[in-house]
Amino acid sequence: MNNFSAVPAAPGLIPWDNPHDILTRTQYLVAVYILNCVIKPVVVVIGLPSNIINCVVFWRQGLGDRMNVCLLALSVADLGLITMCAIFGMTYYIERVDPVTWDGLYAFFQAYLTGVGQGFRTASGCITTVIAVERCLCVVFPLKAASLIRTRTMAVMMVFILCFSQAALFTMPARFVVLRVNNTSAKFGLVSSELFMNNQVFFTVLENIVMMNVIPIATFVVVAVCTALTVVKLRAAMTWRKTTSCSSEGGQGQHTALTKMLVLVCCVYILTTIPWVIFYLANVTVHEFSLVGQYYNLYMTSIVTVYYFPYINSSLSFFVFFGRSTRFQKHVLRLCCDLSKFQSAKGRTTAAVG
């Protein structure tokens, strides 16, 4: 949601040439170049294979445990978000390589797939919220946690989150229609759809207010509060077990290790969401920090930067799981062995046929 400046720009002054801006147009373009040509390829190269491995491992571990269901759904959402990032990157470079044939391809995908990407981003945040709440309940009410959230209920919740986050952001592709410039050219233009023009209030409330502002802020606050409460209660429980020399250390140790891993997942989400929260607060409190304010270049640089942090968050989960879970490590190593055996068998078959 943009907070437009009440002070108009000087007559004839282009927004990105405002002398009072903190950043220059050149610095903004350098930031965009670094994000698109350095950060994005690294995130895609790391995030795509790692989230595929996450999905395979959690599927192999089975869906009898509610936390496995959560982590599988989180990996699916993260994989979807990184896939959209890869698609945007590929279409951008394809259009640059052959602008005559593929003119407008990047704009087309941005218009019609941005909603899909934002849907996965929303789903990832909501699933992380469920994980944070579940861990908090397990630590605060350890004897009742199993009966509060059953595996089947968790599975239904995950499916609902993934489907709702996509359906609720139908407004993004529904905003536009594609029109060819003329009958002999492949070029096209994007114009506002009749559906959008007739329902602008509905689109604004659902998309700009609810999905893009209220839900992200709510998930951030809930995850932060539940994670902080979990850490406090977990430390208290660990201190109590040390002083009382609890005999059931084995089971409690596994539970504590799982909780620490999930707390780290939530902490990564919190750290990668803080820049967006700062951007949002600045947008609604600083009048000149907007599309028509004197800090236009700073605003544009900030908005393209903060939306890369969810990609970073989605590409780091594998390293958290692998570093904190011996069970996950064993399944990854077993998967690598299976792939190695498959490649060896395939090579022998090819050699025998040749």
Side-chain angles (χ1 to χ4, degrees):
M1 182 171 58
N2 296 325
N3 184 26
F4 293 107
S5 171
V7 181
L13 183 65
I14 302 174
W16 52 80
D17 286 338
N18 195 308
H20 301 291
D21 204 337
I22 296 175
L23 297 180
T24 64
R25 176 70 172 178
T26 301
Q27 291 171 327
Y28 161 69
L29 293 176
V30 169
V32 172
Y33 176 83
I34 294 174
L35 290 170
N36 285 330
C37 299
V38 179
I39 304 298
K40 180 180 285 188
V42 171
V43 168
V44 170
V45 168
I46 294 175
L48 273 180
S50 63
N51 278 291
I52 291 173
I53 293 173
N54 289 346
C55 293
V56 173
V57 169
F58 289 126
W59 180 266
R60 283 190 169 190
Q61 287 182 359
L63 303 180
D65 179 75
R66 67 175 183 267
M67 192 44 61
N68 263 21
V69 173
C70 274
L71 295 178
L72 175 61
L74 179 63
S75 299
V76 170
D78 288 343
L79 177 60
L81 181 58
I82 297 295
T83 301
M84 291 299 104
C85 179
I87 291 175
F88 292 148
M90 287 188 296
T91 55
Y92 176 83
Y93 287 112
I94 288 173
E95 184 177 335
R96 292 301 177 272
V97 170
D98 190 355
V100 176
T101 304
W102 302 105
D103 181 62
L105 180 66
Y106 180 68
F108 180 88
F109 275 87
Q110 283 279 41
Y112 289 102
L113 289 185
T114 297
V116 177
Q118 290 293 342
F120 283 124
R121 172 179 174 265
T122 301
S124 181
C126 291
I127 294 170
T128 305
T129 303
V130 173
I131 292 174
V133 172
E134 193 271 352
R135 278 300 97 180
C136 186
L137 292 175
C138 286
V139 173
V140 176
F141 307 107
L143 301 179
K144 298 181 180 180
S147 60
L148 288 176
I149 307 177
R150 299 187 181 276
T151 302
R152 181 174 297 181
T153 304
M154 186 67 76
V156 172
M157 194 181 304
M158 294 299 103
V159 172
F160 173 78
I161 289 174
L162 289 169
C163 294
F164 172 78
S165 60
Q166 293 296 327
L169 285 166
F170 81 96
T171 54
M172 287 189 171
R175 282 175 174 268
F176 305 101
V177 292
V178 179
L179 296 178
R180 292 189 181 278
V181 176
N182 55 60
N183 294 330
T184 60
S185 174
K187 296 182 179 180
F188 59 85
L190 296 176
V191 298
S192 297
S193 66
E194 184 179 352
L195 178 64
F196 170 70
M197 297 303 294
N198 294 334
N199 301 276
Q200 292 188 48
V201 174
F202 172 77
F203 274 61
T204 300
V205 172
L206 178 60
E207 180 185 320
N208 294 351
I209 298 178
V210 177
M211 299 302 298
M212 301 299 293
N213 289 307
V214 174
I215 290 182
I217 288 291
T219 55
F220 173 79
V221 171
V222 173
V223 171
V225 171
C226 288
T227 301
L229 184 58
T230 300
V231 170
V232 172
K233 292 293 184 180
L234 184 62
R235 286 184 175 179
M238 292 173 65
T239 302
W240 178 82
R241 283 201 298 271
K242 288 180 180 179
T243 56
T244 57
S245 299
C246 183
S247 59
S248 59
E249 187 65 28
Q252 290 295 333
Q254 293 179 358
H255 178 270
T256 300
L258 175 61
T259 301
K260 287 182 177 180
M261 183 187 77
L262 298 175
V263 165
L264 187 55
V265 170
C266 294
C267 287
V268 172
Y269 171 79
I270 292 170
L271 291 175
T272 53
T273 307
I274 286 175
W276 179 85
V277 175
I278 295 174
F279 169 81
Y280 173 80
L281 294 177
N283 187 209
V284 299
T285 56
V286 180
H287 293 293
E288 295 297 337
F289 186 70
S290 67
L291 285 172
V292 296
Q294 68 178 15
Y295 301 136
Y296 173 87
N297 290 321
L298 178 63
Y299 175 85
M300 293 301 298
T301 304
S302 300
I303 197 170
V304 298
T305 301
V306 298
Y307 277 101
Y308 268 82
F309 280 92
Y311 297 139
I312 297 174
N313 172 62
S314 296
S315 65
L316 293 178
S317 56
F318 169 82
F319 302 98
V320 176
F321 301 147
F322 191 84
R324 305 295 302 185
S325 172
T326 55
R327 184 186 177 194
F328 187 86
Q329 292 174 10
K330 292 177 181 178
H331 277 82
V332 171
L333 295 177
R334 188 180 304 169
L335 177 62
C336 292
C337 291
D338 292 344
L339 290 175
S340 178
K341 291 177 182 178
F342 175 77
Q343 290 294 334
S344 298
K346 184 179 179 181
R348 288 195 298 268
T349 301
T350 303
V353 173

